[in-house]
Each structure stands twice: as C-alpha cells, then as structure tokens.
Amino acid sequence: RPAYAGWPDSDALTEALAELAALDVAEPAWQRRWLGPDVPAQPVAAGRPGRYADKALDAAWALLEIRLHADPERPANDAWAEITSGYLGIAPHPEWSWWALRGQLVQEPGYMANYAIGAVLATDLRAAIGAARGDWTGGDPGWYGWVREHVYRWGLERSAAEVLGDVLGRPPSVAALVAEIVRAAGGTR
C-alpha cells in the first residue's frame, strides 16, 4: 500500500519533517530533561538564535539559485557575496566559491528552496502540534504517537498539501517562524 512506500522525496515537507523534532535541542526544557538539571541557563539561552543560522543559509542558497536563473551570465561568486553581505552581514569575498559547499546547487537545481520552505513548514507544524498537545520539550510520551498518526503515517498515500492542510487547518504561514525568530532573539511576540 502507498503508505508503506516512504515519504515523497524532493519536497519541502520532507525537509520539514527532518526539522520537526530536531529544533527541540535548542530549547531549555529539552536540554534540562536530556542533559540534566545542572545545565547552565546562559548557554541554553544562547543556543536559541543559533538554531536558525542554518535556515538563514538555506534561504540564502535558494535566493542564489533564483538570482542566477534570472541572470545566468552573472558570476555566482559575485551574487553569493552580495547576498551574504547584504542579508547575513558577512564580509564579502567574491574571490571564494564557498556557496559551492552545497552539492544540491549542482546536482539538483532548484532543490535549495525546499530547505528554506521546509523551515517555514516545520515551524508551522510545531506550532500546530504545540496547540494540540502543549509543550512537549520537557517530556510528552504521547507526542510521537500523535505525530505518527497525523503526520508521518501517510507516506505516498496522501500529498504533502493534504497532510499539511489537515494538521494546520489552513494553508501554511510564515507567522510561526517569524514569532520563533523574534523569541530566539530575545523579543516578545
């Protein structure tokens, strides 16, 4: 049956599922539960902003692809230096091809957008699961069972859009990701 065939690969939901539980490691409650109550509060709080650093890079790589497809004659190093200096505050080094660290840029053109969109979907799913189950980072033995039944179990039997629609009850939104970034930066929202 299609549910046992695996999850559709090469889509943003596949990437979101990889992040669904992985983002918990930056949460103080998760760290206290799994690393012990003596984990200092300051390093825990400092870890929150870092959990989105790789997502910012994923978005930057997706933007690089978009810009290079729009202007194929433009040198990739120049476009990458502009993106990373303008959006990420990294000193520009157009002489270095460090954008090429991502093999997907060559092997699977267009795939980097799945990582960037996956961050939006993962955070939106996390918010919906949190609304249904409460905060699970300190421990919730029923979390996996709930997620398995509502998200993981479908494999190829249902489309990503159908699964997301059922769990979220609406189309995906960036609101949860924006709220998480604000929270991670120490703001309120």
Side-chain angles (χ1 to χ4, degrees):
R1 109 171 206 229
Y4 298 126
W7 198 265
D9 51 350
S10 297
D11 74 3
L13 181 58
T14 302
E15 298 306 331
L17 296 179
E19 297 292 332
L20 197 56
L23 293 175
D24 290 340
V25 300
E27 288 299 323
W30 186 95
Q31 291 183 2
R32 280 191 296 277
R33 176 184 166 101
W34 297 104
L35 302 177
D38 297 328
V39 174
Q42 190 58 28
V44 168
R48 277 188 179 149
R51 77 182 185 175
Y52 292 105
D54 62 335
K55 301 297 140 224
L57 277 173
D58 288 341
W61 275 306
L63 181 58
L64 174 68
E65 284 194 298
I66 292 166
R67 289 193 177 171
L68 292 180
H69 285 289
D71 184 3
E73 300 300 317
R74 184 165 189 205
N77 287 8
D78 292 348
W80 184 244
E82 179 184 296
I83 291 167
T84 56
S85 64
Y87 293 107
L88 304 178
I90 298 171
H93 287 283
E95 71 277 13
W96 297 342
S97 299
W98 69 277
W99 58 269
L101 292 169
R102 294 309 296 255
Q104 295 91 333
L105 292 169
V106 175
Q107 297 165 341
E108 301 175 68
Y111 193 81
M112 293 308 297
N114 286 320
Y115 291 112
I117 297 166
V120 172
L121 298 180
T123 310
D124 211 6
L125 280 170
R126 289 168 58 80
I129 295 165
R133 299 213 43 91
D135 181 12
W136 65 84
T137 55
D140 176 358
W143 181 89
Y144 179 77
W146 191 95
V147 173
R148 180 190 64 228
E149 287 303 308
H150 292 86
V151 180
Y152 291 141
R153 73 177 276 206
W154 303 109
L156 295 171
E157 195 169 318
R158 298 183 71 213
S159 71
E162 290 173 303
V163 173
L164 286 166
D166 284 351
V167 174
L168 300 175
R170 57 172 168 68
S173 167
V174 300
L177 179 60
V178 171
E180 277 295 302
I181 291 170
V182 168
R183 183 179 73 96
T188 57
R189 191 162 189 195

